[in-house]
Amino acid sequence: QVQLVESGGGLVQVGGSLRLSCAASGFTFSTYAMGWFRQAPGKEREFVGAINWTGGTYYADSVKGRFTVSRDNAKNTVFLQMNSLKPEDTAVYYCAAGRTWNKIVVDGNADAWGKGTLVTVSS
């Protein structure tokens, strides 16, 4: 059974940092592209960043230079390091797994989703 469990969300002040983690199980983690998406109140879900099985990454323009996606294939875990946080980064952040890179980065979709973790950036 595929399972993605996010952790690390919380309340942070503007300019602060948070590191989200996503523990994966039930599939061959090292062969999947992994991504992060977010959904702010009243808005549609949007792509944040992704990492492929060799460590290549891709980011949305809104987070480029501030957010970093990384993965530890030995621990079946993907991370999202968020720095210089802004109020507009407030959202529920979702971890996603995709059998192909294009499914996450091009289609904005995934084969499996976590339940999400809330990040609130206060001013």
Side-chain angles (χ1 to χ4, degrees):
Q1 180 182 358
V2 174
Q3 193 169 17
L4 300 172
V5 180
E6 302 95 336
S7 61
L11 176 64
V12 63
Q13 291 188 331
V14 169
S17 299
L18 275 178
R19 189 192 195 203
L20 305 184
S21 300
C22 172
S25 61
F27 63 102
T28 308
F29 178 80
S30 61
T31 66
Y32 274 63
M34 299 298 297
W36 289 94
F37 292 77
R38 67 186 182 187
Q39 187 167 19
K43 295 188 176 181
E44 293 188 353
R45 183 185 67 203
E46 65 174 354
F47 169 80
V48 174
I51 186 167
N52 65 19
W53 36 91
T54 63
T57 55
Y58 182 76
Y59 299 95
D61 287 343
S62 58
V63 306
K64 201 174 294 182
R66 300 188 298 122
F67 290 12
T68 302
V69 182
S70 61
R71 66 192 296 163
D72 184 338
N73 287 339
K75 296 183 178 180
N76 288 3
T77 303
V78 63
F79 305 97
L80 179 65
Q81 177 66 45
M82 304 184 294
N83 299 328
S84 302
L85 283 161
K86 305 175 181 180
E88 52 264 42
D89 294 319
T90 295
V92 177
Y93 283 72
Y94 297 92
C95 175
R99 290 187 180 91
T100 67
W101 178 251
N102 282 355
K103 185 150 192 176
I104 290 184
V105 174
V106 177
D107 299 342
N109 211 328
D111 293 295
W113 296 91
K115 293 184 178 181
T117 186
L118 176 63
V119 172
T120 304
V121 184
S122 68
S123 54

